[in-house]
């Protein structure tokens, strides 16, 4: 099933490539699964980060004017992280990471964003953790996750041919339902739909109406980010709305990382300025840790640039 989904995404990338487009943010959240009659159809969504790959089209100037990395580090290619020129082979790398996620329950590289980016740039993917998968599947993953774009499948059409060969080999070998045998110590993260309650070890539920630590009443689930799941909540003690960031386990289970986080939060709580997001504290309910920060409503500068493409000089000066 994972390979069939990847095959359909490759088909979408092929269609986009014919129009000179690179998506730049292929990941599970940007793949919608639609049931049409008895068939599962994959729709690639959110082309908000797409750029043209056609030289001289003018789009390159617009994209570069936005500056900086754009995308999701956990699923980004090495060349994308280094802000080099990218083409469809970058999307093929991201699709490889997505296929890994479908098969293993997590991305190949974890840790802080800096660690994730460093590993994408220099560390080979931990193929040894995928014991239990057929060699044809791990070979496909290795090919799509090559650091050098020249060693990956060069086009979506080429990738589709490789995927279809692997699917055929699995069926002929009767191994279509192969699964990974996880290490006993390893817990695969579970992806939860945004409308469902999030449960952490220890029985803590995060859902609208629930009150945490006796003072934070959850109003709404705002979805997942690289840092953790975000909630809108009411601080009953301080009588104000706040944003709760329920941290991922990899940020809290390591004592050294967590201690460093506590120190940073302690520093941030002392800083108050109208142009800085106020951090109120780091708290724990059962085994789940969450940041409490100022509630804001608005949009990011990146979202504004996606919609407007450029700003007037007087607007820019105000922001500066």
């Amino acid at each position: 099933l994972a390979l069939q989904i990847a095959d359909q995404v490759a088909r979408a990338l092929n269609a986009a490539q014919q129009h000179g487009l690179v998506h730049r943010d292929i990941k599970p959240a940007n793949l919608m699964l639609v049931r049409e009659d008895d068939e599962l159809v994959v729709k690639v969504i959110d082309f908000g980060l797409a750029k043209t790959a056609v030289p001289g089209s003018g789009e390159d100037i617009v994209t570069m004017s936005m500056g900086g990395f754009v995308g999701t580090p956990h699923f980004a290619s090495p060349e994308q992280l280094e802000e080099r020129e990218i083409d469809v082979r970058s999307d093929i790398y991201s699709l490889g990471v997505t296929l890994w996620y479908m098969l293993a329950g997590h991305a190949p590289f974890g840790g802080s964003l800096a660690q994730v980016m460093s590993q994408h740039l220099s560390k080979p993917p931990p193929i040894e953790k995928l014991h239990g998968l057929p060699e044809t599947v791990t070979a496909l993953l290795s090919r799509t996750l090559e650091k050098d774009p020249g060693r990956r499948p060069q086009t979506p059409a080429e990738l589709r041919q490789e995927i279809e060969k692997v699917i055929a080999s699995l069926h002929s070998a009767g191994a279509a339902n192969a699964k990974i045998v996880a290490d006993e110590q390893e817990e695969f993260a579970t992806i939860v739909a945004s409308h469902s309650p999030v449960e952490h070890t220890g029985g803590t539920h995060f859902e609208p109406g629930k009150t945490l630590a006796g003072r934070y009443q959850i109003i709404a689930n705002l979805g997942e980010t690289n840092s953790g799941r975000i909630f809108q909540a009411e601080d009953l003690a301080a009588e104000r709305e706040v944003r709760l960031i329920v941290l991922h386990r990899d940020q809290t289970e390591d004592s050294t990382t967590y201690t460093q986080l506590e120190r940073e939060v302690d520093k941030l709580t002392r800083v108050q300025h109208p142009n800085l997001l106020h951090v109120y504290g780091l708290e724990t309910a059962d085994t789940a840790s969450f940041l409490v920060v100022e509630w804001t409503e608005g949009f990011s500068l990146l979202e504004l640039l996606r919609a407007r493409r450029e700003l007037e000089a007087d607007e820019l000066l105000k922001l500066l």
Side-chain angles (χ1 to χ4, degrees), residues 123-299:
K123 184 179 179 181
I127 295 292
E128 68 279 359
K129 291 188 177 181
L130 302 182
H131 52 79
L133 282 179
E135 187 177 343
T136 52
V137 178
T138 55
L140 175 66
L141 285 168
S142 295
R143 278 262 292 153
T144 56
L145 296 178
E146 286 281 359
K147 309 296 184 191
D148 179 1
R151 301 185 65 179
R152 299 173 205 150
Q154 296 299 285
T155 65
E158 183 182 333
L159 175 60
R160 285 196 66 201
Q161 289 179 351
E162 294 193 20
I163 292 173
E164 287 165 4
K165 285 180 181 177
V166 174
I167 291 175
S169 71
L170 292 181
H171 283 302
S172 63
N177 294 318
K179 296 181 182 296
I180 296 172
V181 179
D183 294 332
E184 290 184 5
Q185 298 84 1
E186 187 169 20
E187 289 186 0
F188 289 159
T190 301
I191 304 304
V192 184
S194 60
H195 61 272
S196 302
V198 182
E199 183 175 348
H200 290 261
T201 304
T204 303
H205 289 267
F206 293 84
E207 56 184 335
K210 178 77 175 181
T211 300
L212 305 175
R215 66 179 289 179
Y216 301 108
Q217 186 172 51
I218 296 179
I219 299 172
N221 183 343
L222 304 180
E224 191 80 26
T225 70
N226 288 330
S227 300
R229 191 167 287 275
I230 310 295
F231 295 89
Q232 178 186 1
E234 178 77 19
D235 183 343
L236 302 176
E239 298 183 342
R240 64 191 174 199
E241 285 190 33
V242 294
R243 187 183 303 269
L244 305 183
I245 305 174
V246 183
L247 302 173
H248 292 310
R249 282 199 179 99
D250 59 4
Q251 296 171 288
T252 60
E253 288 184 338
D254 181 76
S255 59
T256 303
T257 302
Y258 191 75
T259 300
Q260 177 65 25
L261 180 63
E262 287 181 310
R263 284 199 292 263
E264 295 298 328
V265 170
D266 183 58
K267 293 176 188 176
L268 287 167
T269 55
R270 304 175 208 164
V271 181
Q272 295 190 39
H273 190 279
N275 293 119
L276 291 174
L277 190 71
H278 194 180
V279 178
Y280 298 124
L282 175 65
E283 302 207 23
T284 299
D286 290 346
T287 59
S289 297
F290 55 93
L291 284 167
V292 184
V293 301
E294 176 187 358
W295 171 256
T296 56
E297 292 189 43
F299 46 85

